[in-house]
Amino acid sequence: MTPPHEHDLGLVHDLGTLRRRNVLRLLAGVGFAAMAGCATDDSTSGGSTSPSSSSPSSSGTTSAGTPSATTSTTDVDEIPSETAGPFPGDGSNGPNVLTESGIVRSDITKGFGSSSGVAEGVPLTVELVVLDADKDTALAGAAVYLWHCDAQGRYSLYDTEITDENYLRGVQAADANGKVTFTTIFPAAYSGRWPHIHFEVYASLSEATAAGKISATSQLALPEEACKAVYATSGYDGSTQNLSRTSLQSDNVFGDDGGVHQLASMSGSVQEGYAARLTVGV
């Protein structure tokens, strides 16, 4: 089994981030209550999503497919800022895959350039719809760099066995509806973290492929029902046990709000593959 990852920048950093976000949410809540005269009970238990996202469908009952994007949505929340973790591959701590020819692609299951590996696992389509959180409109032309671990919990470019691989990393430019789509595999659950996918948003494709200024860094959380179904299959050794030891509420990234703004809606099954969708306000 692959050794557990310390998937953050340290306890001090995480506590500081959580404190800042909790203070901002408290202030925002006070302002809203003063204007509206009432408060909305937004439960985070049981995998609730934000008002701007649809609720996950039951895994194994809906055919997999890419949900259609919308040009705008009502009252989009800005995606919470999260750590990129120790394995970003964006040049911030060593490897820089963003400036390599071939990084712009939708299918990230295979290596590119001098890498030829293929990541095996249950198929997953990830669709992000990137919107301007102030105007609630699509950010056409924005670029998303997305990456995650493999079915064994390893990250290409970093883990010893796959330092020569660059799969499960890719960049896409948003279409007119702000949508980007990636074909990938369902990631593992490794010790200490809820199953997740990392992403960075850039103003443009040219900015992303130059490893330039990042507009937003965050993570997508995967729904528990789908995780349990996937981890019951072969190839995901240890994930069932790791999943049972954590929750969205106890996770050191999603725990401050239960991932309410980062929990993807999900459709599909193990047999047909899954599709995950998340609206990303920037």
Side-chain angles (χ1 to χ4, degrees):
M1 183 183 301
T2 302
H5 292 295
E6 289 297 329
H7 195 74
D8 54 31
L9 300 182
L11 181 60
V12 173
H13 173 274
D14 286 341
L15 290 176
T17 300
L18 296 182
R19 282 196 292 268
R20 288 193 297 273
R21 286 171 55 187
N22 287 336
V23 168
L24 289 174
R25 285 193 177 89
L26 178 60
L27 291 176
V30 171
F32 181 85
M35 292 185 292
C38 62
T40 300
D41 181 14
D42 190 12
S43 173
T44 60
S45 63
S48 299
T49 57
S50 67
S52 61
S53 301
S54 58
S55 298
S57 61
S58 298
S59 63
T61 59
T62 305
S63 297
T66 304
S68 59
T70 55
T71 54
S72 65
T73 189
T74 304
D75 192 20
V76 180
D77 293 308
E78 185 173 341
I79 197 78
S81 178
E82 307 290 7
T83 174
F87 315 112
D90 60 3
S92 60
N93 67 354
N96 188 352
V97 75
L98 291 175
T99 57
E100 294 183 13
S101 176
I103 188 61
V104 180
R105 63 216 187 108
S106 59
D107 185 346
I108 63 174
T109 59
K110 304 174 183 177
F112 63 92
S114 60
S115 299
S116 58
V118 179
E120 302 291 341
V122 173
L124 175 66
T125 297
V126 179
E127 179 187 294
L128 303 181
V129 179
V130 186
L131 303 176
D132 185 318
D134 293 326
K135 300 178 181 178
D136 299 335
T137 55
L139 283 177
V144 175
Y145 167 44
L146 182 142
W147 75 96
H148 61 82
C149 71
D150 65 11
Q152 288 78 52
R154 307 171 303 178
Y155 284 83
S156 66
L157 302 177
Y158 291 88
D159 278 274
T160 304
E161 306 95 327
I162 53 174
T163 53
D164 294 332
E165 298 295 344
N166 53 23
Y167 52 57
L168 306 182
R169 299 177 184 274
V171 174
Q172 279 282 289
D175 65 14
N177 293 326
K179 183 180 73 173
V180 296
T181 304
F182 295 91
T183 300
T184 185
I185 63 162
F186 210 100
Y190 52 80
S191 181
R193 282 303 318 277
W194 186 261
H196 61 280
I197 293 174
H198 294 267
F199 62 90
E200 294 172 346
V201 180
Y202 294 80
S204 65
L205 194 61
S206 60
E207 193 74 21
T209 54
K213 182 180 179 180
I214 301 170
S215 301
T217 302
S218 195
Q219 299 179 25
L220 173 154
L222 292 163
E224 183 176 9
E225 186 177 0
C227 291
K228 287 182 175 179
V230 171
Y231 299 155
T233 66
S234 62
Y236 286 89
D237 296 345
S239 285
T240 295
Q241 291 80 5
N242 290 331
L243 182 70
S244 70
R245 297 186 185 111
T246 188
S247 68
L248 281 167
Q249 288 70 34
S250 66
D251 184 74
N252 63 6
V253 169
F254 304 122
D256 62 325
D257 60 5
V260 65
H261 298 298
Q262 294 151 284
L263 184 63
S265 61
M266 182 75 74
S267 62
S269 66
V270 168
Q271 294 74 24
E272 299 177 352
Y274 286 94
R277 183 183 186 275
L278 183 69
T279 298
V280 178
V282 177

